[in-house]
Each structure stands twice: as C-alpha cells, then as structure tokens.
Amino acid sequence: MNAPSISVQMKCGDCPIRHRAVCARCDADELTALEEIKYYRTYEAGQTVIWSGDQMNFVGSVVSGIATLTQTMEDGRTQMVGLLLPSDFVGRPGREGAAYDVVATTDLTMCCFRKKPFEDLMNRTPHIAHRLLEMTLDELDAAREWMLVLGRKTAREKIASLLAIIARRDASLSPDGPQDDIVFDLPLTREAMADYLGLTLETVSRQMSALKKDGVILLEGKRHVTIPNMGRLMEEAGDDSDGGFLV
Amino acid sequence: MNAPSISVQMKCGDCPIRHRAVCARCDADELTALEEIKYYRTYEAGQTVIWSGDQMNFVGSVVSGIATLTQTMEDGRTQMVGLLLPSDFVGRPGREGAAYDVVATTDLTMCCFRKKPFEDLMNRTPHIAHRLLEMTLDELDAAREWMLVLGRKTAREKIASLLAIIARRDASLSPDGPQDDIVFDLPLTREAMADYLGLTLETVSRQMSALKKDGVILLEGKRHVTIPNMGRLMEEAGDDSDGGFLV
DNA sequence: ACCAGTCCTTGACGCAGATCAATTGGGAAA
DNA sequence: TTTCCCAATTGATCTGCGTCAAGGACTGGT
C-alpha cells in the first residue's frame, strides 16, 4: 500500500485545518476510513446549522468561519454557551439530538463525518475515543471557566476576558513572535458579544469605548482590534493565571 | 468461577451508591479489578478535599455527603462550578492536576480508585471509556445549562432554578410517587447558594423569603423545604422544558 | 443560665448595568 | 453622488441587586 504522508493525512486530506478528533496516533487505515465518510457543507452568515432538539446525523469540525452555540428562553433572552472557531469540533457522539442551536455568524464551512460510521470507528479505535474524552474535558473546563466570568465578573472584566480569549486563540494560529502587538478582527457583532457575556449590546459598546479610551485596546472602525499589551488586558480581565482558554 | 451477583457488584461491592463510572456492561473481572484499587476516604464538613492545581492521584465517587467545585479569584470572589451529590463522579482521567477546589460542605465519604490503575483499566476497557465520555457530556450539558442561569436569569429565577435542581435530584432518589409534595433539606448554606448563583447571601435570603411569602415554597426553619407544586416552581425558574439537570 | 459563634433575616441606601431613545458612521445599491 | 440600511455609539433615566449595618435564632460550651 502506498502509505500517504502522515502530516497531510493528519489534516484530514484537503481540509486546511487540523481536526481535533484526529490525533497523532491515527494510522493510515483510520484516516482512510474517515476520508470515506466525510463531506463538506457550507452555510451563509446568519443561517442556522442545527436547531436545538433536532436529530443530528453528523459530527465534524469547523473548517472556516465562525459559529455559535446558543440557548434561548421562551421570552427571547438568549445566552451563548460556546464559540466555534476553525478546527473546533461539533457533535455529541452517542447522543441523538442537538442540545443547542448552532448558528453560523459568518459564512461557514464545516467538514462533517456521518455520525453512525464515525461512532463505529470510535468504538473500535480506543485512542480516538480517548481523544474525544480529552476534547470534552477541555470544553468542560472552558464552560466552567466561563461560569466564573458570567457569575462574578464586572462588565469591563467580561469584555476584557472575551477579548483575551479571542486574542490568544488568534495568536496561537498566527506564526508571529509571542510579544508583538496582537491584531485581529472581531468575529462577533456587539449583540453576539453581549449574548456571550450576559450583558446588553449597549453595555458592551460602552465598555469597548472605555477600554479604548484607557489605552487597553486600539479600535479601528468597529471591528479591527489591536492589543498593545496582552498582560495589561489580562489584568483587566481579572485573570492573573495565563490559563483561560475557551472551546 | 463463582460469578457474583451483578446487581450487587454494579454497586461496587459495599458502596451504598451506584458508581456512575460503572455500567451495565461491566463484567465480573472488571468489577474485581475495580475492587482491588479502591479505598474509602472521609472528610469533615468544611475540609478541602483537593486544592486547585494539586496533583490528583485518584478518581472516585461521592458515597455520602455533599461537596462543591469552586473557583476563586485573587480578590476573593468565588464561583461554584459544580455540586457533587452522592453517586457523582470526581476526577479527570488523563489529566494531571485538579482544575478546581473541591470542598466538603457536609461530612463526606468518597469511594476512590487509584488513578493510574483506573486509567489503565479504562484504556483496555472500551465501554468504561465510553461511559466516561457520556458522563463528561452530561456534565458539559449541565455546565452550559448553568451558563444560561448565570448570564440571563433574575435573582428569583436563579433561586427557583437551584431549588428545582435539588428537588428533582432528590425526588429521583426517593421512591415516592411523582406528584406528591417534594420535601428536602437544603444541603447548602445561603452563602454557598449565593456562590453557586452568582449572587450575594443577602439577595438569596431575600428571594427565599419572597418565594415563601408567595407560596412557591414552604420553609420550616432555615433549611427544611417543601415544594407544594413542582410545575409552579419550574415556571418561576423560567424553565418550561422539564429538562434541566445538574451534575 | 449565660455566652460566644454561626447562620440567617431585614432595612436603608447607592451604584452598575438595563432600558428607552436619538444620532452617527460606513458600506452597498441605485 | 445620493440614499438606504444596519451596526454601533452615546445620552438620560430607571431599577435590581450589591453594600453596609443592625439584630434575631439557633447550637454548643462553660
């Protein structure tokens, strides 16, 4: 057999991202098996990928674009419970339905695996099951970290926490040196930020302006952000530990 | 081989609870293996079981008593991120240290398994790994459910949500008919409730009084609670769906 | 009986963030 | 260029919950 290059296959064929469900121990057979059950789907900004409660017949990863996981009460109050960036995993192996609405906030491409065969592969491949457990533990840590943000932080600290997460996530993707300015475009509207932070969009806007005035961030236009001093931002977030991760 | 009664072994020998990590597919050999690496530990009310960051050399379940998972900021603000009731699992297979403080809020008995041998067993026993993934997904759902509570609910709704969780959890343990009054003793101080709900103890106290005045709950002394109408309580929680579970 | 300690309740007041409302800015279509 | 549209900003006011403070109800110890 003509063994394919692992480094390419690790990234799941032609996906430009590294699937988190795929790990260093995956061998060529497993990768071929994944290749056979995978397909791509694209969604437009604003489209709902899955409604809470719907049957979900795939798992997969975000390839490009941003999606959110949200919960809504009958009276319309909504809380975002997860932010899905490229390479993040979506799906609940072993579960029937979706627990939350998944919404594309930008144009979105997903790399999906049909669920049943994926579960079969998982069941006969211990290290994939192991990897999924690790990923789920990561998400649990992130969710609990966020509980502290929602329950105990001020509006200013909440905003700083969110910016820190996005900045860190973004910086880890780019190959820049670690202590340069961090520059990125916010992938969320003020309203989406508010739904993530348990605030109103007005409060988000005011605190963004305040952080800008105080030199914690630079803002060009509405979305383009520069972090001149990551340490300062993390102080503002009330977050000494450089832990703090999300999704 | 003299196969032991599964129904007894399912409960892990002499533990009075059913370990969630042990499932219907566990066979006698696996149960024996667990039996060999298990031990009990007891803690007094108020004692800290594990400090965040500490090396954790066991996993296990709560046998009796209540423990909490909490995070604390440097300035002392604390947020509870999990409530551990009997049969709940503690531990992060595959992880080195503890991510949160675990504190006994009442006298507590834990049934522990030494971590390394437990992980070995998990690694060679797919259905135990599978069970752990399921448990972790449950906890993730619970954490995300709680994010909605923390981010978007009012103080009154928060209190009602917490009471509903404890009531439901309690009712599922007792063999009573489903539509009787639900009666239980609150396992938490007002301060612990506040730390769970992102409130102050004074607000918790006021809202408890308000719910009592409005007949949503009956209070005898400080801790003894009767829920005359579970549906009413869940309305107050802003929670139509009878989902809603926690840890 | 008395005291000390802990937990809880209740009141008075202030403030962070919500609500309501008006205006600005910037990109796309005509 | 003008117009439209939607995201975002900013201001004015309101309010739910936090803060500070005083006191009550148990419990266990002496």
Side-chain angles (χ1 to χ4, degrees):
Chain A
M1 194 215 290
N2 191 353
S5 152
I6 291 296
S7 71
V8 168
Q9 286 290 337
M10 280 278 294
K11 294 168 83 175
C12 184
D14 44 349
C15 288
I17 50 104
R18 176 168 296 201
H19 288 256
R20 296 200 167 177
V22 178
C23 70
R25 278 178 292 166
C26 283
D27 66 26
D29 283 351
E30 287 151 22
L31 292 165
T32 305
L34 283 168
E35 208 54 47
E36 276 166 10
I37 60 173
K38 97 175 193 189
Y39 58 99
Y40 291 92
R41 291 214 47 179
T42 60
Y43 302 86
E44 285 172 25
Q47 241 188 312
T48 295
V49 177
I50 317 157
W51 295 98
S52 168
D54 277 7
Q55 187 80 11
M56 215 179 136
N57 49 14
F58 69 91
V59 300
S61 302
V62 174
V63 173
S64 67
I66 311 277
T68 62
L69 249 47
T70 60
Q71 264 181 302
T72 306
M73 295 172 65
E74 315 82 60
D75 61 8
R77 283 177 281 179
T78 77
Q79 175 67 50
M80 196 189 300
V81 297
L83 186 60
L84 299 168
L85 306 181
S87 93
D88 281 335
F89 183 80
V90 181
R92 303 148 56 80
R95 299 296 168 95
E96 278 297 300
Y100 311 102
D101 297 337
V102 179
V103 182
T105 54
T106 66
D107 288 349
L108 181 74
T109 305
M110 302 262 317
C111 175
C112 306
F113 303 106
R114 288 185 293 120
K115 191 171 159 212
K116 185 69 174 56
F118 183 87
E119 285 173 3
D120 293 344
L121 179 63
M122 182 188 98
N123 286 331
R124 61 172 193 270
T125 314
H127 72 260
I128 290 188
H130 191 262
R131 184 79 198 97
L132 285 168
L133 177 58
E134 267 184 5
M135 286 169 38
T136 308
L137 283 168
D138 282 345
E139 283 184 80
L140 183 57
D141 281 345
R144 286 175 166 167
E145 179 92 9
W146 209 244
M147 286 170 64
L148 176 64
V149 173
L150 291 173
R152 292 301 186 192
K153 292 196 176 176
T154 64
R156 174 185 261 245
E157 289 170 333
K158 284 178 175 182
I159 300 285
S161 299
L162 178 56
L163 292 173
I165 280 163
I166 295 174
R168 189 178 304 115
R169 181 68 188 253
D170 232 74
S172 74
L173 294 182
S174 80
D176 305 349
Q179 43 259 31
D180 292 307
D181 288 4
I182 298 175
V183 180
F184 58 94
D185 283 301
L186 270 177
L188 301 172
T189 64
R190 298 290 186 265
E191 186 177 21
M193 293 173 69
D195 282 343
Y196 207 2
L197 297 167
L199 300 169
T200 58
L201 98 218
E202 292 95 331
T203 298
V204 170
S205 182
R206 276 185 246 276
Q207 297 297 337
M208 289 287 288
S209 300
L211 289 173
K212 176 184 176 183
K213 185 163 67 62
D214 298 346
V216 181
I217 62 173
L218 310 181
L219 256 184
E220 244 171 293
K222 299 153 194 277
R223 301 287 192 91
H224 194 76
V225 178
T226 304
I227 314 282
N229 182 340
M230 194 62 189
R232 173 77 195 285
L233 181 65
M234 295 194 12
E235 264 173 50
E236 291 285 353
D239 213 60
D240 274 333
S241 74
D242 62 343
F245 19 10
L246 193 65
V247 175
Chain B
M1 193 214 292
N2 191 352
S5 152
I6 292 296
S7 70
V8 168
Q9 287 289 340
M10 281 278 294
K11 296 169 80 178
C12 183
D14 43 350
C15 288
I17 50 103
R18 176 167 297 201
H19 288 257
R20 296 201 169 175
V22 178
C23 69
R25 276 179 293 167
C26 283
D27 65 26
D29 285 350
E30 288 151 21
L31 293 165
T32 305
L34 283 168
E35 207 55 47
E36 276 165 11
I37 61 173
K38 99 176 191 189
Y39 58 97
Y40 291 93
R41 290 212 49 178
T42 60
Y43 303 86
E44 286 173 24
Q47 243 188 311
T48 295
V49 177
I50 318 157
W51 294 97
S52 167
D54 278 6
Q55 186 79 14
M56 217 178 134
N57 49 15
F58 68 91
V59 299
S61 302
V62 175
V63 172
S64 67
I66 311 279
T68 61
L69 250 47
T70 61
Q71 284 188 91
T72 307
M73 295 172 68
E74 316 81 59
D75 62 8
R77 282 177 282 177
T78 77
Q79 175 66 49
M80 196 188 301
V81 297
L83 186 59
L84 299 169
L85 305 181
S87 92
D88 282 335
F89 184 79
V90 181
R92 303 148 55 80
R95 298 297 168 94
E96 278 297 300
Y100 310 101
D101 297 336
V102 179
V103 182
T105 53
T106 64
D107 288 349
L108 182 73
T109 305
M110 301 264 315
C111 175
C112 306
F113 302 106
R114 287 185 294 120
K115 190 171 161 211
K116 184 66 174 56
F118 182 88
E119 284 173 6
D120 293 343
L121 179 63
M122 183 188 97
N123 286 330
R124 62 171 192 271
T125 314
H127 72 258
I128 289 188
H130 192 264
R131 185 77 198 97
L132 284 167
L133 177 58
E134 267 184 4
M135 286 169 40
T136 308
L137 282 168
D138 282 344
E139 284 184 79
L140 183 57
D141 281 344
R144 286 176 166 166
E145 179 92 10
W146 210 244
M147 286 171 63
L148 175 64
V149 173
L150 291 173
R152 292 301 186 193
K153 292 196 178 178
T154 64
R156 174 184 262 244
E157 289 170 333
K158 285 179 174 181
I159 300 284
S161 298
L162 178 56
L163 292 174
I165 281 164
I166 295 175
R168 189 178 305 115
R169 180 70 187 252
D170 233 74
S172 74
L173 294 181
S174 80
D176 305 349
Q179 44 260 29
D180 293 308
D181 288 3
I182 299 175
V183 180
F184 58 93
D185 282 301
L186 270 176
L188 301 173
T189 63
R190 298 289 185 266
E191 186 178 21
M193 292 173 70
D195 283 343
Y196 207 2
L197 297 167
L199 299 170
T200 59
L201 100 217
E202 293 94 331
T203 298
V204 170
S205 182
R206 276 186 247 274
Q207 297 298 338
M208 289 287 289
S209 300
L211 289 174
K212 177 184 175 182
K213 184 163 67 64
D214 297 345
V216 181
I217 61 173
L218 310 182
L219 256 183
E220 242 170 294
K222 299 152 194 276
R223 301 287 191 91
H224 194 74
V225 178
T226 303
I227 314 281
N229 182 341
M230 193 62 190
R232 173 77 195 284
L233 181 65
M234 295 193 14
E235 264 174 48
E236 291 285 351
D239 214 58
D240 274 333
S241 73
D242 62 343
F245 18 12
L246 191 66
V247 176

